[in-house]
Amino acid sequence: MKKICVFTGTRAEYGLLYWLMKDIEVHPKLELQTLVSGSHCSPEFGLTFQRIVEDGFHIDEKVEMLLSSDSAVGVAKSMGLAVIGYSDSLNRLKPDLVVILGDRYEALALAQTAMIMKVPIAHISGGEVTEGAYDDSIRHAITKMSHLHFTSNDEYSNRVIQLGENPDRVYNFGSVGLEHLKRTELYDEAEFSQSIGFPIESDKFFLVTYHPVTLDSSETPEKAFEAILKALDSFPNYKVIITYPNADDGGRKIIPIIDAYTANNSERVFSIKSLGQKRYYSAISHCAAVIGNSSSGISEVPSFKKPTINIGSRQRGRVLADSIINCTPSMLSISEAIRKCLSHEFIKSLDVVLNPYGDGNTSADIIDVLVKSSVTDMKKFYDLPEFKS
């Protein structure tokens, strides 16, 4: 059996990988290995590795590497700790292939470790652009260390090829997270309210997730998030569910602001470190709008026929569905965007929105490639025809 090691370092990433992991686990020709790290192991961010266990997965390796720091220096040092831990884990697991999704610094640390240890990498969601975060550079760096590439649309496939990857190893299967639309049984309104212990009414609450912008110094996390909260106060008839930010530098500065806002508005506002994938997608299905700068607002929310208010520069450069409204991180701009998304005209337009990230039939296609592909040979740089001498 081919040993496939799936890496996850954050709650969001695990939510996207869930069905792919389930399918690898039951495939007769594949053996699932799990390597769990990053904020999954942090009490500050909810110890979300416990959710992985509750979902029935065995965690083969758990690497604690996240320093309790809110600085770039802390992130860089955490990456160093990660490399030390990952090298031991890969040496014990001896996988035939490592699956890495996205663009996180924990993932970069694993990619460079796997490259040195000659473990082939299958990379999911390469070729995308997020100009406001250093994740953008990380994503492209992981592409150059990977052997198989599973992208989410043709534009991203072309960009991976432009980076010098062989077209025969680049597959546009759509966003793996959209598997939840067809395969995850979501909570109805009453079930969801009971699951979080907070009463909600469908289409009468906002789902908010805002992450720090790591490249744009003009968009400071505290100032941007305060602008979001002031904008939300302009819509007192709507409740608010806020999830914690990720573990990027600057993220911890947002947490006390969330906690204080929740405490001062306990009848209207609910905050949580992590909803988990079922509750998160259920929240999307019932909310009036998703507000913030999470990638899920770009790639998954459009399929729910729900509006996304995309704030600031973090996701700048991604392919966008017509259901996404961009705005600056100012109270006035966010308020105007929310008013637009609540208008009868905009709500009606959501019925015909098409998601450029696929239709939720991704996992089986990826599995087929993992089973059939041989990636033991050395990589060669692929020159685009127009640049060949």
Side-chain angles (χ1 to χ4, degrees), residues 231-278:
L232 292 172
D233 286 340
S234 300
F235 302 87
N237 294 327
Y238 286 80
K239 291 188 175 183
V240 181
I241 295 177
I242 307 175
T243 63
Y244 272 29
N246 60 26
D248 284 340
D249 47 295
R252 289 173 176 84
K253 295 176 182 177
I254 300 175
I255 293 174
I257 301 174
I258 294 174
D259 291 343
Y261 186 72
T262 304
N264 293 331
N265 300 273
S266 58
E267 295 296 317
R268 176 173 160 260
V269 180
F270 174 82
S271 61
I272 189 169
K273 293 179 179 179
S274 174
L275 283 168
Q277 68 265 15
K278 183 171 181 175

Side-chain angles (χ1 to χ4, degrees), residues 138-328:
I138 290 174
R139 187 184 310 107
H140 302 322
I142 294 175
T143 289
K144 291 310 304 171
M145 290 184 273
S146 300
H147 297 73
L148 298 173
H149 308 274
F150 301 111
T151 66
S152 53
N153 65 43
D154 285 335
E155 180 174 322
Y156 299 156
S157 291
N158 292 337
R159 193 171 287 127
V160 168
I161 296 168
Q162 185 181 344
L163 285 167
E165 298 303 299
N166 191 322
D168 292 339
R169 292 187 173 179
V170 181
Y171 304 89
N172 171 22
F173 292 151
S175 173
V176 69
L178 294 177
E179 292 276 333
H180 288 284
L181 271 72
K182 297 184 176 181
R183 302 177 66 179
T184 300
E185 185 178 353
L186 303 181
Y187 293 122
D188 63 26
E189 177 186 308
E191 291 170 334
F192 177 68
S193 294
Q194 184 178 15
S195 75
I196 62 173
F198 183 76
I200 58 96
E201 182 181 346
S202 289
D203 298 321
K204 294 297 291 182
F205 72 94
F206 302 124
L207 178 61
V208 179
T209 303
Y210 180 83
H211 302 300
V213 174
T214 51
L215 282 184
D216 188 351
S217 59
S218 66
E219 189 177 334
T220 60
E222 308 100 306
K223 185 177 179 180
F225 201 76
E226 291 285 5
I228 294 172
L229 299 184
K230 289 179 181 178
L232 292 172
D233 286 340
S234 300
F235 302 87
N237 294 327
Y238 286 80
K239 291 188 175 183
V240 181
I241 295 177
I242 307 175
T243 63
Y244 272 29
N246 60 26
D248 284 340
D249 47 295
R252 289 173 176 84
K253 295 176 182 177
I254 300 175
I255 293 174
I257 301 174
I258 294 174
D259 291 343
Y261 186 72
T262 304
N264 293 331
N265 300 273
S266 58
E267 295 296 317
R268 176 173 160 260
V269 180
F270 174 82
S271 61
I272 189 169
K273 293 179 179 179
S274 174
L275 283 168
Q277 68 265 15
K278 183 171 181 175
R279 290 192 299 187
Y280 180 71
Y281 289 113
S282 297
I284 294 174
S285 70
H286 294 298
C287 74
V290 172
I291 300 174
N293 61 1
S294 173
S295 60
S296 64
I298 308 297
S299 60
E300 295 143 64
V301 174
S303 292
F304 287 84
K305 308 299 182 183
K306 296 287 184 175
T308 295
I309 308 299
N310 181 47
I311 300 170
S313 62
R314 183 178 178 87
Q315 301 298 337
R316 186 187 299 147
R318 287 196 193 269
V319 175
L320 303 179
D322 292 336
S323 57
I324 297 168
I325 302 172
N326 293 320
C327 65
T328 64

